[in-house]
Amino acid sequence: MCELLGMSANVPTDICFSFTGLIQRGGNTGPHKDGWGITFYEGKGFRTFKDPNPSCDSEIAELVQKYPIKSRSVVSHIRQANRGKVNLENTHPFTRELWGRYWTLAHNGQLSDYHSLETGRFRPVGQTDSELSFCWLLNKLEQKFPEPPTDMLAMFQYVATCCDELHDMGVYNMLLSDGEYVMTYCTNHLYWITRRAPFGKATLLDEDVTINFQEETTSNDVVSVIATQPLTGNESWSRMKPREFNLFHHGDLVLSNVEQLKDVAFAAAKPGNQAPTEKL
Amino acid sequence: MCELLGMSANVPTDICFSFTGLIQRGGNTGPHKDGWGITFYEGKGFRTFKDPNPSCDSEIAELVQKYPIKSRSVVSHIRQANRGKVNLENTHPFTRELWGRYWTLAHNGQLSDYHSLETGRFRPVGQTDSELSFCWLLNKLEQKFPEPPTDMLAMFQYVATCCDELHDMGVYNMLLSDGEYVMTYCTNHLYWITRRAPFGKATLLDEDVTINFQEETTSNDVVSVIATQPLTGNESWSRMKPREFNLFHHGDLVLSNVEQLKDVAFAAAKPGNQAPTEKL
């Protein structure tokens, strides 16, 4: 088991608070001592910090925790190795270019018979089922859409279909981003929360830290956080269902394959058109 | 103009000393204030630190300077923008996967008419001539060697030929690594030095820092450093010639297209067989 942390926001936002909670699980309050990584997008560019050492005593994790890098899309992971040695090339997240954008994935779970997955020209560098299945996913996307897709909705629906295939091979909880959108897929453990005005206080479960978002935000800010387990004790996190695929854009959940959201989702998936708050 | 810094070593070595000199040129002793980046390989994996802010006052650069990340292959760059805005996606080095390895490139110079370069499936994300020509190079390599090449010498010679084409389009000084090898190409400004026992003291030109390599190394260590301008004042750096392509492996120069080195090089290019010291 590993732990995932993702963020989608409508304004560049720092994730220090949530990351502080997450890294405690990297060998301290949690058993995930086999490395950690975090990717921040800034425009179409990204920066990744990763370390095969436990996050709870990583100097680099300490920097990330203190240094408020502001981003609208973040993908993070702490690892408890099952497939693949503990080393840098097996440390999530993994980033590859497709259609002139950088795609970043972090996976939690374990797949069976994954060596049969055809990755085409996207060759894995490490030995994890996660990276190999990411290469497979990108190869499927490129074969389906040789040119950058104009019908984004069709593309996202295809991503969901591919995730279903991986779900059927084992446990596939994942976060995926192209810098603009954050996609999530759940097999068994994934929660999310959207914070918007009026903002309140939140207290971390893993460390004695409380933050007053009111002081950190403006009334227009919308920020969604996705995590394997809720990170705060005094907020209500929504649990994702098995086979649930969600798409976050600028902080809002805009598309989901969950029935009751479908209508919202399809409308919301049109550029600039976001899901009405009350339906989320 | 930008500045390049590369390292090839036979044992994992930290580059803090050279990097300390380089980053002073990022807005302090030099005009290269438009970002900086450094990629360290560890096994087949890598970690990149980059920032569009001047390196001389970058918190992340400070961490890299203090935190002795040990690597056998390093590619670094500080930028003075000419093509492409100052932002993260235009900040060197650039890393892409080819043949199941991560390839990293940093470029110094400027190309003309580069928009005509065909990049195939390697699409640039940013707007620099450097990233676009890197995508073109990888595309050429993949077309020439659709499968991972077994004849490494032929592959390196092909890289050199491709670099000649880019050289003919303007100024092309570059560092390229797949984590195992460090390749260099020179149009006008590139120097290198190989340090081996008996090690002496070195003093930075850009900051009042002296290091006694004797205390930092063992007698078996071999470390080559490549830079746009010599970083130390009391050592003799070799200046590369226009159209000179060099290949460094485990700290040694093992292949060069410079005439007098060719015989050494071809012998040396065989795995495990390194160029005799006296011929370097």
Side-chain angles (χ1 to χ4, degrees):
Chain A
M1 254 309 263
C2 309
E3 294 218 17
L4 302 172
L5 170 64
M7 185 187 79
S8 170
N10 65 340
V11 293
T13 304
D14 83 61
I15 197 171
C16 295
F17 174 71
S18 300
F19 187 71
T20 297
L22 183 75
I23 65 175
Q24 293 308 312
R25 299 179 183 180
N28 190 354
T29 59
H32 317 92
K33 53 171 179 37
D34 301 326
W36 63 276
I38 185 165
T39 297
F40 300 87
Y41 280 92
E42 295 173 49
K44 292 173 73 182
F46 70 98
R47 59 178 103 214
T48 294
F49 299 88
K50 53 170 64 174
D51 206 333
N53 304 318
S55 54
C56 66
D57 52 22
S58 160
E59 277 191 52
I60 300 173
E62 205 174 302
L63 170 94
V64 175
Q65 197 181 336
K66 289 176 183 164
Y67 188 65
I69 296 167
K70 290 184 182 289
S71 173
R72 298 205 305 184
S73 304
V74 175
V75 172
S76 180
H77 180 274
I78 52 177
R79 181 168 183 230
Q80 186 177 9
N82 45 42
R83 306 248 191 255
K85 292 192 188 128
V86 176
N87 57 32
L88 198 57
E89 66 256 35
N90 290 335
T91 304
H92 305 222
F94 304 104
T95 300
R96 300 289 180 101
E97 173 270 323
L98 174 66
W99 302 321
R101 296 192 73 91
Y102 293 116
W103 289 64
T104 297
L105 179 132
H107 165 227
N108 147 344
Q110 200 159 348
L111 304 177
S112 306
D113 308 325
Y114 58 95
H115 287 297
S116 59
L117 293 171
E118 182 50 60
T119 67
R121 60 99 166 174
F122 294 92
R123 299 174 193 255
V125 173
Q127 301 80 40
T128 62
D129 51 357
S130 308
E131 187 194 10
L132 193 144
S133 57
F134 180 37
C135 292
W136 170 84
L137 173 62
L138 293 173
N139 189 47
K140 294 275 282 186
L141 284 170
E142 190 174 53
Q143 291 191 336
K144 179 89 168 175
F145 304 96
E147 292 303 310
T150 48
D151 182 347
M152 293 298 278
L153 182 54
M155 188 274 286
F156 291 126
Q157 287 170 321
Y158 189 66
V159 171
T161 310
C162 293
C163 292
D164 287 336
E165 284 191 54
L166 296 172
H167 165 87
D168 294 341
M169 296 171 66
V171 175
Y172 193 69
N173 303 299
M174 75 96 189
L175 300 176
L176 175 65
S177 180
D178 69 344
E180 175 77 10
Y181 294 90
V182 174
M183 292 149 262
T184 69
Y185 189 86
C186 177
T187 287
N188 54 7
H189 297 296
L190 211 50
Y191 291 77
W192 66 280
I193 187 169
T194 299
R195 297 179 181 129
R196 64 180 79 239
F199 289 95
K201 289 185 178 173
T203 305
L204 286 180
L205 287 169
D206 297 82
E207 214 184 34
D208 186 15
V209 176
T210 296
I211 188 169
N212 184 348
F213 289 115
Q214 189 78 57
E215 296 162 0
E216 312 283 327
T217 55
T218 75
S219 59
N220 299 325
D221 295 4
V222 181
V223 180
S224 287
V225 176
I226 305 102
T228 296
Q229 298 293 337
L231 290 163
T232 56
N234 63 328
E235 298 179 296
S236 101
W237 292 67
S238 308
R239 182 168 191 168
M240 297 183 188
K241 299 177 178 57
R243 302 176 71 90
E244 181 172 338
F245 171 84
N246 290 332
L247 176 71
F248 295 86
H249 187 228
H250 295 173
D252 266 311
L253 177 62
V254 296
L255 174 66
S256 176
N257 64 349
V258 176
E259 217 45 53
Q260 66 272 26
L261 279 169
K262 204 166 270 177
D263 300 340
V264 179
F266 281 33
K270 293 177 193 147
N273 183 355
Q274 298 195 349
T277 309
E278 64 276 10
K279 294 206 187 180
L280 298 180
Chain B
M1 252 313 259
C2 308
E3 294 217 19
L4 301 172
L5 170 65
M7 184 188 80
S8 170
N10 65 340
V11 293
T13 305
D14 83 62
I15 197 171
C16 295
F17 174 71
S18 300
F19 187 71
T20 297
L22 183 76
I23 65 173
Q24 292 308 312
R25 299 181 184 178
N28 189 353
T29 60
H32 317 91
K33 54 173 178 34
D34 301 325
W36 63 277
I38 185 165
T39 297
F40 301 87
Y41 280 93
E42 295 171 45
K44 292 173 74 183
F46 71 97
R47 61 177 102 214
T48 294
F49 299 88
K50 53 170 65 172
D51 206 333
N53 304 318
S55 54
C56 66
D57 52 24
S58 160
E59 277 191 50
I60 300 173
E62 205 174 301
L63 170 94
V64 174
Q65 197 180 337
K66 289 178 184 163
Y67 187 64
I69 295 167
K70 289 182 182 290
S71 172
R72 299 206 304 185
S73 304
V74 176
V75 172
S76 179
H77 179 273
I78 51 178
R79 180 168 184 230
Q80 185 178 9
N82 46 43
R83 304 249 192 257
K85 292 192 188 131
V86 176
N87 58 32
L88 198 56
E89 67 256 35
N90 289 338
T91 304
H92 306 222
F94 304 102
T95 300
R96 299 289 180 100
E97 173 269 325
L98 174 66
W99 303 320
R101 296 194 72 92
Y102 293 116
W103 288 64
T104 298
L105 178 132
H107 165 228
N108 146 346
Q110 198 160 350
L111 304 177
S112 306
D113 308 324
Y114 58 95
H115 286 295
S116 59
L117 293 171
E118 183 48 60
T119 65
R121 61 99 165 173
F122 294 91
R123 298 175 193 258
V125 173
Q127 301 80 41
T128 62
D129 52 355
S130 307
E131 186 195 9
L132 193 145
S133 57
F134 179 36
C135 292
W136 170 83
L137 173 63
L138 293 172
N139 189 47
K140 295 272 283 186
L141 285 170
E142 189 173 54
Q143 291 191 335
K144 179 92 168 174
F145 305 96
E147 293 303 311
T150 48
D151 183 348
M152 294 297 278
L153 182 54
M155 188 273 286
F156 291 127
Q157 287 170 321
Y158 189 65
V159 171
T161 310
C162 293
C163 291
D164 286 336
E165 284 190 56
L166 294 173
H167 164 88
D168 293 340
M169 296 171 67
V171 176
Y172 192 69
N173 303 299
M174 74 98 188
L175 301 176
L176 175 65
S177 180
D178 70 345
E180 175 78 10
Y181 295 89
V182 174
M183 292 151 261
T184 69
Y185 189 86
C186 176
T187 288
N188 54 8
H189 297 295
L190 212 50
Y191 291 77
W192 65 280
I193 186 168
T194 300
R195 297 178 181 131
R196 65 180 79 239
F199 289 94
K201 291 185 179 174
T203 306
L204 288 179
L205 287 170
D206 296 82
E207 215 185 31
D208 187 13
V209 176
T210 297
I211 189 169
N212 184 347
F213 289 115
Q214 191 78 56
E215 297 162 1
E216 312 282 328
T217 55
T218 75
S219 60
N220 300 324
D221 295 4
V222 181
V223 180
S224 287
V225 175
I226 305 103
T228 297
Q229 298 293 336
L231 291 163
T232 56
N234 63 326
E235 300 179 295
S236 103
W237 292 65
S238 308
R239 181 168 192 167
M240 296 183 188
K241 300 179 178 58
R243 301 177 70 91
E244 180 172 339
F245 170 84
N246 289 331
L247 177 70
F248 294 86
H249 188 227
H250 294 173
D252 265 311
L253 177 62
V254 295
L255 175 65
S256 175
N257 64 349
V258 177
E259 216 45 55
Q260 65 272 24
L261 280 170
K262 201 165 271 174
D263 301 341
V264 179
F266 280 34
K270 292 176 193 146
N273 182 357
Q274 299 193 350
T277 310
E278 64 276 9
K279 295 208 185 176
L280 299 177

